[in-house]
Amino acid sequence: MADVGECLYSTTSMLFPKHTTFIAQSFYNSIGYSVGASLGASTAQKRRTLLFVGDGSFQIGAQEVSTLINYDCKSIIFVLNNQGYGIERAIHDGPYNDLSPWKYHLLSEAFGGEPGILVETEGQLEEALQIAEKSDKLTFIEIQVDKFDFGDTLRKAGAAMAESSKNSYED
Ligand SMILES: [Mg+2]
């Protein structure tokens, strides 16, 4: 399950096991749909759900993590924290792209689940993945990256959208 922006672009090039189902929406439809949608996917089938969601999208449906925990869903949630609306920064940046600086990894414990994991390095991500693989509970992983740390697809898409709308903005 992928939300919009960098999470959608990144997951389309990831390798997953055979018979994995990929759920996403069309580009730029409803930011934030994925947390609630992963609850639906998790309760509709007996398969583990991996959710890739940005911080901006996550803030819209964060409370559904409580329901995922309450229903004992074994999801792995990756919150990509790039401190705001990354896709908008890739097009045109401004203070309106900044978000309230939540401590996302603390939320799963606050909602009654296991403590979340804060990832700031590649090594920490490897460790977090090992913990998640062995866990039979919901695993919540916050990955902190720089606010301009875009993948190539987002960088190119942002540049193209900026070019096509360059007369729409005033600096
Ligand atoms: Mg973001």
Side-chain angles (χ1 to χ4, degrees), residues 6 21 41 47 50 60 88 101 105 110 113 138 153 160 168:
E6 184 69 290
T21 301
R47 296 164 67 189
L50 310 181
I60 292 169
E88 298 294 334
H105 63 287
L138 182 142
T153 306
S168 302

Side-chain angles (χ1 to χ4, degrees), residues 27-42:
F27 170 70
Y28 241 142
N29 276 356
S30 299
I31 179 174
Y33 86 102
S34 68
V35 185
S38 75
L39 170 64
S42 297

Side-chain angles (χ1 to χ4, degrees), residues 68-132:
L68 282 160
I69 292 167
N70 196 35
Y71 279 56
D72 199 26
C73 297
K74 323 265 188 270
S75 309
I76 304 173
I77 299 176
F78 299 89
V79 174
L80 184 68
N81 180 4
N82 58 6
Q83 307 148 58
Y85 298 114
I87 192 167
E88 298 294 334
R89 288 195 208 284
I91 301 168
H92 188 271
D93 195 23
Y96 40 80
N97 291 328
D98 297 333
L99 287 167
S100 301
W102 289 12
K103 298 183 188 320
Y104 299 92
H105 63 287
L106 301 180
L107 287 174
S108 59
E109 190 170 10
F111 285 140
E114 300 292 306
I117 302 169
L118 177 62
V119 165
E120 296 174 295
T121 66
E122 199 171 325
Q124 290 172 343
L125 178 59
E126 292 288 346
E127 290 172 18
L129 292 173
Q130 289 177 11
I131 292 168

Side-chain angles (χ1 to χ4, degrees), residues 6-7 10 52-56 78-84 141-145 149:
E6 184 69 290
C7 289
S10 300
F52 298 85
V53 57
D55 50 345
F78 299 89
V79 174
L80 184 68
N81 180 4
N82 58 6
Q83 307 148 58
I141 302 170
E142 174 186 355
I143 302 171
Q144 288 190 342
V145 297
D149 188 3

